[in-house]
Amino acid sequence: MSRPARRWAVVVAAGRGERFGGSTPKQYTLLLGRPALSWSLAALLASPAVDGVVVALAPRDRRWKRLAESRSPRISTCVGGDRREASVSNALLSLAARAHDDDWVIVHDAARPCLRREDLDKLIAATRRDPVGGLLAIPVPDTLKVNDGRGRSARTADRSVLWRALTPQIFRYGLLRRALALCVERERVVTDEASAVEALGLRPRLVQGRGDNIKLTTPADRVLAEAILRAGRRT
Ligand code: C5P
């Protein structure tokens, strides 16, 4: 007998974050005294629409066990891979016994600690009946230049059609597994799930998210993230 589709969240936390610097991987950097990964999990754990969460961890991760979330019965872990998409694939594989092909998978970067519950709800609502799935994204506000490879501006890109991809991104379990497997088969490098789905000839829905759902990339982002989280506590 068929059951209603469930929603699983995958949080990828297996990166080394080399551009972030320091000895602590960026997913564990403290923001207002709390590790970034805990913040990144917060909106997902607060949502009753999420049935379970898988966190993909680096092979020798010793920090996860120290987080309060490690004791949550709604969270399981798996070992991530050497690239982001391999970490997502491993997490999907770890769900194989529980997830059905038509279940939804919500993939989120551990390095995006400022995700608001309202953005997660918006993404889920906007894709509820979508045949493909979608992602949070934001129209690019700046004028964009194309570097000619020698440090000179060759031309100006048409920003009216350009959006910046954020996470979470939501796709059906079966579709996402197929899309990522095809990328591996074709040795195609993808930096998000939507790119893998696009490679199948499908068009993920763009759901406008908040610009303050930033990704920790450089040390300056830490200061920014703390300011965003502090402001979020007051709203
Ligand atoms: O390095 P970047 O900022 O693009 O990483 C985005 C997210 O993907 C981070 O949360 C990082 O921990 C995760 N990641 C991963 N496995 C990798 C590389 C990155 O889980 N091999």
Side-chain angles (χ1 to χ4, degrees), residues 1 22 30 43 46 64 70 103 107 110 137 162 164 179 182 187 198 227-228:
M1 208 170 66
L30 292 182
W64 168 250
S70 70
D103 284 356
V107 183
L162 294 175
R164 209 153 46 80
L182 198 74
E187 295 178 11
E198 289 154 15
I228 294 166

Side-chain angles (χ1 to χ4, degrees), residues 26-31 33-40 67 69 113:
K26 61 184 177 180
Q27 56 273 31
Y28 290 109
T29 195
L30 292 182
L31 302 171
R34 188 177 174 194
L37 177 53
S38 295
W39 287 107
S40 304
L67 264 58
E69 289 81 4

Side-chain angles (χ1 to χ4, degrees), residues 12-17 19 26-27 56 80-85 87 108-112 215-217:
V12 279
R16 286 194 298 269
R19 285 169 294 178
K26 61 184 177 180
Q27 56 273 31
D82 54 353
R83 304 162 56 89
R84 185 182 181 284
E85 65 265 35
S87 296
H108 185 48
D109 287 337
R112 286 188 193 273
K215 186 171 77 165
L216 298 175
T217 305

Side-chain angles (χ1 to χ4, degrees), residues 83-85 109 167 169 189-196 215:
R83 304 162 56 89
R84 185 182 181 284
E85 65 265 35
D109 287 337
T167 73
Q169 306 199 353
V189 175
V190 288
T191 48
D192 70 347
E193 293 58 61
S195 321
K215 186 171 77 165

Side-chain angles (χ1 to χ4, degrees), residues 72-127:
S72 165
R74 286 171 72 202
I75 303 183
S76 60
T77 61
C78 73
V79 176
D82 54 353
R83 304 162 56 89
R84 185 182 181 284
E85 65 265 35
S87 296
V88 176
S89 292
N90 288 359
L92 296 181
L93 194 63
S94 80
L95 280 169
R98 291 186 286 163
H100 289 191
D101 275 0
D102 64 345
D103 284 356
W104 291 102
V105 180
I106 301 164
V107 183
H108 185 48
D109 287 337
R112 286 188 193 273
C114 304
L115 170 66
R116 295 276 197 107
R117 172 75 194 281
E118 68 200 64
D119 257 13
L120 174 64
D121 292 347
K122 189 176 175 186
L123 177 70
I124 291 173
T127 52

